[in-house]
C-alpha cells in the first residue's frame, strides 16, 4: 500500500490490526516519529555494535532505549542503554558477548512533549546474529 508517498508493508493481519515489517520509514499512523534506525553488527572477537536512532518532528523530544538481547531458550536482556534529545537521538554502543548464542536488539523509540510525557512509542527489533 502507499499513502502520500509513504510505503507501508503489511506482514500479517490479526484481528484487523496490521503488523509492520522493520523499515526505516514509518507508517502514516505515526504522529511525531518520522524516522528510526535499528542495526546490530557482529565484529571480530565477539564485539557487537548496537546502533539506534529516533527522529521526531520539530517540537517533540526523541527518546530511545536499546536492549541487547541474548537467546538461551528465550530472549533475555543482557545490556540496556537509553538516551533522549531534541528532534534526533542516536546511540552507538559496543559490547563483547559470549560465543554460542544468538543476539538481537530490541529498541523502544519514543516521542515526548516538553513535559516529557510520552506522545508516541513503538518497538523495533534488529536482525538476529549468531556468534559461534
Amino acid at each position: 500500500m502507499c499513502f502520500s508517498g509513504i510505503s507501508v508493508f503489511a506482514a500479517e493481519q490479526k484481528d484487523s490490526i496490521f503488523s509492520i515489517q522493520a523499515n526505516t520509514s514509518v507508517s502514516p499512523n505515526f504522529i511525531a516519529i518520522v524516522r528510526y534506525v535499528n542495526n546490530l553488527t557482529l565484529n571480530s572477537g565477539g564485539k557487537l555494535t548496537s546502533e539506534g536512532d529516533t527522529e521526531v518532528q520539530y517540537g517533540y523530544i526523541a527518546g530511545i532505549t536499546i536492549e541487547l538481547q541474548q537467546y538461551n531458550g528465550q530472549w533475555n536482556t543482557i545490556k540496556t542503554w537509553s538516551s533522549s534529545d531534541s528532534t534526533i537521538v542516536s546511540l552507538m554502543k559496543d559490547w563483547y558477548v559470549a560465543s554460542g548464542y544468538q543476539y538481537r536488539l530490541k529498541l523502544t523509540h519514543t516521542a515526548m512533549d516538553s513535559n516529557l510525557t510520552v506522545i508516541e512509542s513503538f518497538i523495533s527489533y534488529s536482525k538476529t546474529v549468531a556468534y559461534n
Side-chain angles (χ1 to χ4, degrees):
M1 290 187 284
C2 188
F3 299 99
S4 303
I6 299 175
S7 297
V8 179
F9 301 93
E12 61 182 288
Q13 183 178 6
K14 292 183 181 176
D15 301 325
S16 299
I17 299 173
F18 287 97
S19 173
I20 307 298
Q21 293 177 351
N23 195 347
T24 56
S25 62
V26 294
S27 73
N29 297 336
F30 287 86
I31 298 166
I33 298 173
V34 295
R35 186 184 66 83
Y36 70 95
V37 172
N38 182 342
N39 191 42
L40 180 63
T41 306
L42 176 62
N43 304 291
S44 63
K47 182 173 85 170
L48 290 176
T49 299
S50 305
E51 179 185 6
D53 295 356
T54 304
E55 182 178 353
V56 297
Q57 293 187 41
Y58 179 78
Y60 294 98
I61 297 168
I64 194 166
T65 299
I66 297 177
E67 294 177 56
L68 175 59
Q69 297 185 323
Q70 178 187 67
Y71 189 77
N72 188 13
Q74 64 182 16
W75 288 105
N76 298 301
T77 299
I78 58 172
K79 185 66 181 168
T80 303
W81 301 277
S82 294
S83 187
S84 62
D85 205 345
S86 60
T87 313
I88 300 174
V89 63
S90 297
L91 277 177
M92 183 178 282
K93 298 290 183 178
D94 292 329
W95 193 256
Y96 286 89
V97 294
S99 63
Y101 297 97
Q102 293 181 352
Y103 297 91
R104 73 177 183 186
L105 297 180
K106 176 183 176 183
L107 271 65
T108 304
H109 307 272
T110 57
M112 298 169 279
D113 64 15
S114 59
N115 297 319
L116 300 181
T117 302
V118 175
I119 302 300
E120 191 168 78
S121 179
F122 80 100
I123 294 172
S124 69
Y125 292 92
S126 70
K127 65 183 178 195
T128 300
V129 298
Y131 177 44
N132 299 316

